[in-house]
Amino acid sequence: MSRLTVYDTTLRDGSQREGISFSVSDKLKITQRLDDFGIDYIEGGWPGSNPKDIEYFRKVRQLDLKHSKISAFSSTRRAGIRVQDDLNIQALLAAETKAVTIFGKSWDFHVTDAIGTTLEENLAMISDTVAYFKEMGREVIYDAEHFFDGYGHNPEYAMATIRAAEEAGADMVVLCDTNGGMMPFALQKILQHVRSEITTKLGIHAHDDAGMAVSNSIIAAEMGFDQIQGTINGYGERCGNANLCTIIPNLQLKLSMLIVEPEQLEQLTCLSRYVAELANLSPQEQQPYVGENAFAHKGGIHVDAVLKHAHTYEHLQPELVGNSRRILVSELSGKSNVLYKAREHNIDLSKETPETKAVLDRIKEMEYQGYQFEGAEASFELLIWKALKVHQRLFELVGVRTFVEKIGENGNILSEATVKVRVDNREYLTAGEGNGPVHALDEALRKALLQVYPEIRHFHLVDYKVRVLDGKDGTGAKVRVLIETRDERKKKSWGTVGVSPNLIEASWQALVDSVEYGLMNANKAKMKELRKAVKQFRMEG
């Protein structure tokens, strides 16, 4: 039996969730993390639908992916035209991915009432499109949209649609519960029938409108299906897609199916929170395996029992999925997560030295204040350097002032900022203008530091996100700002974070970290000296 493959559609189907809008940079960063984790297929988007996805497919070719295969997504040809003349098909071909995913109609009701064509023409649309891409040398995954609803209404026709894909040469036929309403016991009977009739490899793509997407996906895996499709954190339209953060550990740790390597599975919690941060969504605390509360214990006999033996109230070791146990009443939380993140930066904090405890205490204090370092790796590394007292300040803030003016109901908004910094006992005072106060601050700080650090001209702010941490405080609520910066010379990006009840202050924190981290990495001599100091600390510890 062939190995079960995992197909991630976070970047396309997942982004259809309300409130998610990934930038091209976001999508590329998530692609890299999914590859590191060991995902087999990454569906990058629909190149015929928008310019952003076209740009993604152009840039993703530059990534050095070790495992994942990128797939582009589109529909079958339109009714009444040749496949070669369909612009969506040509855009899909131009994406130049090794795999393509084609979706077509399985429900006769959709064929006649949604796309307004005949049942025979729909079968030809499926066959022509699959055959065309096989002729072009692509691996073809055929997604049978609304298959289970179509099967329930007209099983003969639903089966005819997937036979058309099979006979045209599809490498994989994926059965889609597009409306997400299938019950496991009914789904199992349909899967058995399809398995007996179709010899091509089979997959499942389940939505979660009835809360059954994970269960239905696991049933398909147990029945020998070849591919599971889903998204990180279950993101998707309406109630979401099958949650890979639940499916993968269930298959690997409960059913003994090797999906990823054990050390990759230990990255699952970090992956979940990383994608949540880039989606600008709060992580789901109650999420199985990766949620903050998945291994949290509070009060009474639970805590007493867990401290004696964790298995009393935990179904597995949280470290297996990169999570950590939290004993809320005694605040013994966060250590293993912090150590894990430190190891990602090649910093060994595992030894019980006073310095290490100081680092951990500082990080826990900041996370309590609202800082999150998933997606802000540069701020995390700067924090470690400062706590270990090996950090070298490149500039010192003397003062900063922002000014925002709007004249009249329809007048333009003027944003100005002045910044005074000190470098090597010399002060630099500059001003900047921008679309808003943060933009103006960025311009002013760059002007000041450009006189000393010319490499800053290569740094560009590419993303800026704000999240309110506690909405009950209204406009006075504390906010978290996440900034992404890119060095165009080195083609490297990094994230930084700031937290404050004042939006400008939170933005300034993230901005200063961004500039400082970029300058440190641009200066090879300083980085070499810094790494040497960290190594010396580890040896002495």
Side-chain angles (χ1 to χ4, degrees):
M1 184 176 65
S2 60
R3 174 183 170 271
L4 178 73
T5 59
V6 175
Y7 181 109
D8 180 275
T9 180
T10 303
L11 302 181
R12 199 272 308 172
D13 220 348
S15 68
Q16 292 178 198
R17 169 174 167 159
E18 183 180 5
I20 291 181
S21 180
F22 292 124
S23 66
V24 174
S25 176
D26 289 337
K27 295 180 70 164
L28 293 170
K29 291 174 73 173
I30 291 172
T31 297
Q32 189 66 66
R33 292 293 284 260
L34 292 173
D35 177 63
D36 293 341
F37 183 72
I39 295 295
D40 301 296
Y41 291 85
I42 301 171
E43 185 177 276
W46 188 338
S49 66
N50 63 84
K52 183 164 56 175
D53 282 357
I54 294 174
E55 183 182 358
Y56 166 82
F57 284 110
R58 178 173 57 83
K59 290 186 173 181
V60 77
R61 300 170 202 155
Q62 302 170 15
L63 295 184
D64 183 22
L65 301 181
K66 300 294 191 297
H67 179 84
S68 300
K69 187 177 293 186
I70 302 298
S71 181
F73 178 88
S74 188
S75 63
T76 62
R77 70 163 174 83
R78 288 174 292 155
I81 67 171
R82 298 190 315 153
V83 66
Q84 298 91 333
D85 299 328
D86 190 302
L87 295 180
N88 278 335
I89 298 300
Q90 294 310 308
L92 187 64
L93 190 65
E96 297 184 6
T97 56
K98 293 181 180 179
V100 295
T101 301
I102 306 296
F103 78 90
K105 300 297 184 182
S106 304
W107 192 355
D108 56 358
F109 165 66
H110 265 256
V111 174
T112 56
D113 289 48
I115 63 175
T117 190
T118 65
L119 300 184
E120 292 75 16
E121 172 66 358
N122 181 56
L123 294 177
M125 291 158 60
I126 296 169
S127 180
D128 291 350
T129 309
V130 171
Y132 176 74
F133 279 102
K134 288 306 298 178
E135 291 173 4
M136 295 296 164
R138 301 295 197 271
E139 178 182 351
V140 178
I141 298 169
Y142 177 71
D143 275 8
E145 188 186 41
H146 289 104
F147 178 80
F148 296 98
D149 291 306
Y151 187 97
H153 186 259
N154 186 341
E156 291 79 13
Y157 186 74
M159 291 298 297
T161 63
I162 60 175
R163 285 196 190 96
E166 179 181 45
E167 291 169 2
D171 298 281
M172 179 83 65
V173 171
V174 179
L175 310 181
C176 302
D177 183 19
T178 310
N179 283 353
M182 284 301 297
M183 293 292 102
F185 47 84
L187 175 132
Q188 188 169 12
K189 293 179 181 179
I190 298 174
L191 298 185
Q192 288 171 340
H193 180 214
V194 173
R195 179 85 281 177
S196 68
E197 296 283 338
I198 301 296
T199 58
T200 298
K201 290 182 178 180
L202 292 170
I204 188 168
H205 178 114
H207 284 249
D208 204 35
D209 298 73
M212 296 294 166
V214 169
S215 297
N216 288 340
S217 299
I218 290 174
I219 285 172
E222 282 194 294
M223 293 180 64
F225 271 49
D226 303 280
Q227 185 175 97
I228 301 295
Q229 295 194 359
T231 62
I232 300 300
N233 298 325
Y235 293 154
E237 200 165 13
R238 305 187 311 276
C239 300
N241 286 46
N243 188 347
L244 293 178
C245 293
T246 305
I247 292 172
I248 291 173
N250 273 331
L251 293 178
Q252 184 144 332
L253 301 175
K254 303 295 186 180
L255 301 178
S256 300
M257 297 183 185
L258 182 62
I259 307 300
V260 296
E261 295 301 320
E263 58 270 21
Q264 291 173 314
L265 189 60
E266 292 172 5
Q267 301 175 24
L268 183 63
T269 299
C270 285
L271 174 63
S272 166
R273 297 175 186 177
Y274 182 82
V275 173
E277 193 67 52
L278 293 188
N280 205 23
L281 295 173
S282 297
Q284 302 166 57
E285 295 178 351
Q286 303 301 120
Q287 191 174 175
Y289 292 103
V290 297
E292 186 177 10
N293 293 342
F295 301 94
H297 309 278
K298 183 177 180 180
I301 61 173
H302 283 224
V303 172
D304 181 65
V306 166
L307 291 178
K308 293 175 180 174
H309 203 298
H311 288 315
T312 53
Y313 285 96
E314 290 178 356
H315 65 112
L316 53 75
Q317 295 177 359
E319 293 79 11
L320 294 174
V321 292
N323 210 334
S324 63
R325 181 176 305 112
R326 298 172 63 235
I327 308 299
L328 302 182
V329 293
S330 56
E331 301 179 355
L332 300 175
S333 60
K335 184 175 181 180
S336 60
N337 263 1
V338 170
L339 295 179
Y340 180 81
K341 286 189 287 187
R343 286 196 298 270
E344 282 189 324
H345 296 275
N346 298 315
I347 300 173
D348 184 5
L349 295 180
S350 60
K351 298 177 181 179
E352 294 297 331
T353 63
E355 293 86 356
T356 298
K357 186 178 185 302
V359 171
L360 299 178
D361 288 344
R362 177 60 178 153
I363 291 170
K364 286 195 287 184
E365 177 189 344
M366 293 186 70
E367 290 187 339
Y368 177 77
Q369 294 172 7
Y371 288 84
Q372 287 289 337
F373 296 100
E374 304 299 334
E377 299 89 346
S379 287
F380 177 80
E381 193 160 348
L382 282 168
L383 175 62
I384 297 294
W385 295 343
K386 292 174 182 177
L388 297 182
K389 296 182 173 55
V390 297
H391 174 256
Q392 301 176 12
R393 299 185 67 178
L394 299 180
F395 60 91
E396 179 184 354
L397 173 67
V398 178
V400 60
R401 177 181 297 174
T402 60
F403 176 79
V404 179
E405 181 181 24
K406 178 179 172 67
I407 301 176
E409 184 66 28
N410 299 314
N412 293 328
I413 296 177
L414 174 66
S415 296
E416 297 178 346
T418 58
V419 170
K420 181 185 285 189
V421 295
R422 183 181 296 116
V423 182
D424 294 333
N425 296 319
R426 181 176 178 182
E427 292 185 353
Y428 300 85
L429 175 64
T430 54
E433 293 182 344
N435 297 329
V438 177
H439 185 202
L441 278 174
D442 185 35
E443 290 295 313
L445 180 61
R446 288 171 184 276
K447 285 182 182 178
L449 294 179
L450 187 62
Q451 303 172 62
V452 185
Y453 303 112
E455 57 267 37
I456 200 173
R457 66 167 57 93
H458 302 290
F459 303 167
H460 299 285
L461 191 152
V462 296
D463 202 3
Y464 175 85
K465 291 185 174 76
V466 179
R467 181 178 301 158
V468 175
L469 297 181
D470 194 346
K472 74 178 188 300
D473 292 330
T475 54
K478 185 181 289 187
V479 297
R480 180 164 66 236
V481 169
L482 185 71
I483 286 178
E484 182 187 348
T485 308
R486 181 173 177 82
D487 186 337
E488 294 299 340
R489 239 181 355 173
K490 296 186 174 184
K491 306 300 181 184
K492 178 182 179 181
S493 299
W494 58 91
T496 52
V497 65
V499 173
S500 173
N502 187 299
L503 175 61
I504 303 301
E505 169 61 19
S507 301
W508 175 258
Q509 292 173 16
L511 188 62
V512 168
D513 274 7
S514 169
V515 171
E516 191 163 35
Y517 183 83
L519 291 175
M520 292 296 294
N521 277 270
N523 190 317
K524 292 183 179 180
K526 284 188 178 295
M527 280 303 296
K528 185 176 181 180
E529 182 180 347
L530 183 64
R531 297 294 182 188
K532 182 179 179 181
V534 172
K535 183 177 180 181
Q536 183 66 29
F537 162 80
R538 286 156 56 184
M539 291 174 63
E540 293 175 355

